[in-house]
Amino acid sequence: QVQLVESGGGLVQPGGSLRLSCAATGTIFSIDYMGWYRQAPGKQRDLVASIFSDGSTDYADAVKGRFTISRDNAKNTVDLQMNSLKPEDTAVYYCNAQVAASLDFNFRYYWGQGTQVTVSS
């Protein structure tokens, strides 16, 4: 019953910005890891940015200095601010979260349905 819902994707010109949001809903006790991945047609799904409950972050080399990941633990949301977008950023972006649904702290990973980001002039 845990669901991740993404929003904010769309069409943007090179050099532009987009902000993606992901909200986790359902039976949630705790969330440790949250992150964003992306996948282009015919390619594997690659990590874009990660953030843990303590606020520590990690980014793919291709997006360092351009993207910023953040989270709101009270709202169970994670955002990805994307600046200086390039055509090679075009992909379906997926939200991922490591969620425990009860006090046993049995964490499982969940995926959102994905949101399309297209960077084109």
Side-chain angles (χ1 to χ4, degrees), residues 18-60:
L18 284 174
R19 187 176 184 89
L20 306 183
S21 296
C22 173
T25 63
T27 304
I28 298 172
F29 176 75
S30 181
I31 302 177
D32 187 5
Y33 172 87
M34 301 187 82
W36 287 95
Y37 291 70
R38 65 187 182 187
Q39 186 172 24
K43 304 295 183 180
Q44 69 177 27
R45 190 172 298 182
D46 293 327
L47 175 67
V48 176
S50 301
I51 187 167
F52 290 85
S53 58
D54 65 357
S56 60
T57 60
D58 194 20
Y59 297 90

Side-chain angles (χ1 to χ4, degrees), residues 6 13 15 26 34 44 50 57 60-61 67 72 77 85 90 114 119:
E6 301 117 329
Q13 294 184 344
M34 301 187 82
Q44 69 177 27
S50 301
T57 60
D61 288 342
F67 291 9
D72 187 329
T77 59
L85 283 162
T90 296
V119 184

Side-chain angles (χ1 to χ4, degrees), residues 98-115:
Q98 186 185 25
V99 180
S102 67
L103 286 168
D104 63 4
F105 288 95
N106 183 19
F107 287 89
R108 299 181 64 183
Y109 285 91
Y110 295 86
W111 291 96
Q113 292 298 112
T115 184

Side-chain angles (χ1 to χ4, degrees), residues 73-95:
N73 293 329
K75 298 180 179 179
N76 293 326
T77 59
V78 60
D79 290 358
L80 185 69
Q81 178 65 46
M82 304 185 295
N83 299 325
S84 302
L85 283 162
K86 304 174 180 179
E88 50 263 46
D89 295 319
T90 296
V92 177
Y93 283 70
Y94 295 90
C95 179

